[in-house]
Amino acid sequence: MTITGDEMKPSLSQKANELTIDIPGCRIWRDGIPVPLTRAERDILQCLANMPGHVISRSDLSEGVKIRGGRSLDIHVCRLRRKLDDSKGSYIETIPKVGYRLNSTATGLHS
């Protein structure tokens, strides 16, 4: 995986797929092909990337991306994980009964 940003350019590989995430632009490419993100998915990625390694509560994340309660946040995170090929939660970790965190070790991002 490659993550680009102002001073953030670590490179990690996952399986045979090359994943590139442009944090400031909130864009994702898999094997050089752009992966379309919804507004909610871009906002979730941006919120998590702003504080890699830190847990963001479900309520703060929902409020930050303007998602209304229920299971909507879980559904958006699930779809984002699918696009990241992150079925095991290597990049976006679920912290039970608390929220989510972008894994700073797996992504190479640090706050």
Side-chain angles (χ1 to χ4, degrees):
M1 173 169 60
T2 303
I3 301 189
T4 64
D6 296 327
E7 63 281 336
M8 306 175 278
K9 295 193 182 189
S11 179
L12 302 169
S13 293
Q14 179 191 12
K15 301 178 190 170
N17 296 328
E18 180 62 29
L19 181 68
T20 303
I21 302 175
D22 171 18
I23 297 297
C26 290
R27 295 174 294 187
I28 298 176
W29 295 267
R30 175 160 310 289
D31 296 323
I33 299 169
V35 176
L37 296 177
T38 65
R39 180 195 55 80
E41 292 163 349
R42 283 192 308 269
D43 291 349
I44 290 167
L45 180 60
Q46 188 66 55
C47 283
L48 294 171
N50 283 339
M51 297 185 64
H54 296 278
V55 177
I56 300 176
S57 74
R58 292 176 47 76
S59 61
D60 286 347
L61 194 54
S62 291
E63 187 176 307
V65 299
K66 296 175 179 51
I67 295 174
R68 296 187 184 179
R71 304 277 302 168
S72 295
L73 178 62
D74 298 330
I75 292 167
H76 289 294
V77 170
C78 179
R79 290 177 182 158
L80 179 57
R81 281 182 172 147
R82 198 174 310 135
K83 291 178 181 182
L84 292 171
D85 192 22
D86 187 29
S87 60
K88 295 181 181 167
S90 300
Y91 302 128
I92 300 174
E93 298 176 295
T94 299
I95 310 303
K97 301 187 190 232
V98 179
Y100 296 96
R101 144 175 79 202
L102 189 66
N103 184 331
S104 59
T105 303
T107 61
L109 292 174
H110 301 283
S111 60

